[in-house]
Amino acid sequence: MVACYPGNGTGYVRHIDNPNRDGRVITCIYYLNKDWNAREKGGILRIFPEGLNRVAEVEPLFDRLLFFWSDRRNPHEVQPAFDTRYAITVWYFDEAERREAIERYESKGAEKAS
C-alpha cells in the first residue's frame, strides 16, 4: 500500500492493523520523505506497545524501514502532517491464519446468500 498524506493536517487515528486475525503478522513501513523535519512538518508515527507505559515516536525520515507486530501488541497512529508525507506499507502474512480468515469471510457470504 502506498500512503500519501496531503499535508493539510491529515493524520490517521489510533488503530491496530490486524484486530481480527486476518493473517497480517508483521507490518513493514518504508518512508520516502527527503529532508523531513518533524518539528515543522509533523507526521510522526506513534506506537503504543501493549503492556508498557510509554510511546514510541518514529519520524518518517527518508529511507527509514520500520517493522512491528501487526496485532493488538502495537496500536499506532499518525500525527497530523503539515507537508506531503509518503510511506509504503507491506504486510507479512501467516499462511494458515490468512486461509482461516478467508474461510470465515466466505462462509459469512454463503450465509447471507441463503
Side-chain angles (χ1 to χ4, degrees):
M1 174 182 79
V2 176
C4 174
Y5 293 79
N8 57 0
T10 304
Y12 201 88
V13 298
R14 185 171 171 165
H15 67 284
I16 297 167
D17 287 348
N18 181 5
N20 57 2
R21 297 191 42 82
D22 66 8
R24 290 180 285 180
V25 178
I26 297 172
T27 299
C28 311
I29 304 175
Y30 181 68
Y31 292 110
L32 304 165
N33 309 295
K34 287 192 176 182
D35 304 317
W36 191 267
N37 181 331
R39 286 191 174 159
E40 295 173 10
K41 299 178 180 183
I44 291 174
L45 175 72
R46 298 182 78 215
I47 302 174
F48 306 89
E50 182 183 54
L52 300 176
N53 192 21
R54 61 179 173 229
V55 176
E57 294 192 345
V58 181
E59 295 183 14
L61 304 178
F62 179 74
D63 205 29
R64 175 171 278 171
L65 181 61
L66 177 68
F67 295 86
F68 57 90
W69 296 112
S70 302
D71 61 14
R72 63 183 170 78
R73 289 176 278 187
N74 289 296
H76 55 284
E77 67 187 14
V78 176
Q79 295 289 289
F82 300 100
D83 198 353
T84 306
R85 176 189 182 278
Y86 296 99
I88 297 173
T89 303
V90 177
W91 291 276
Y92 167 77
F93 282 80
D94 176 88
E95 183 179 0
E97 183 177 306
R98 184 64 181 161
R99 187 172 37 254
E100 290 169 8
I102 291 169
E103 289 170 3
R104 284 193 311 270
Y105 175 78
E106 289 174 347
S107 69
K108 286 181 183 178
E111 289 172 11
K112 287 182 182 179
S114 355

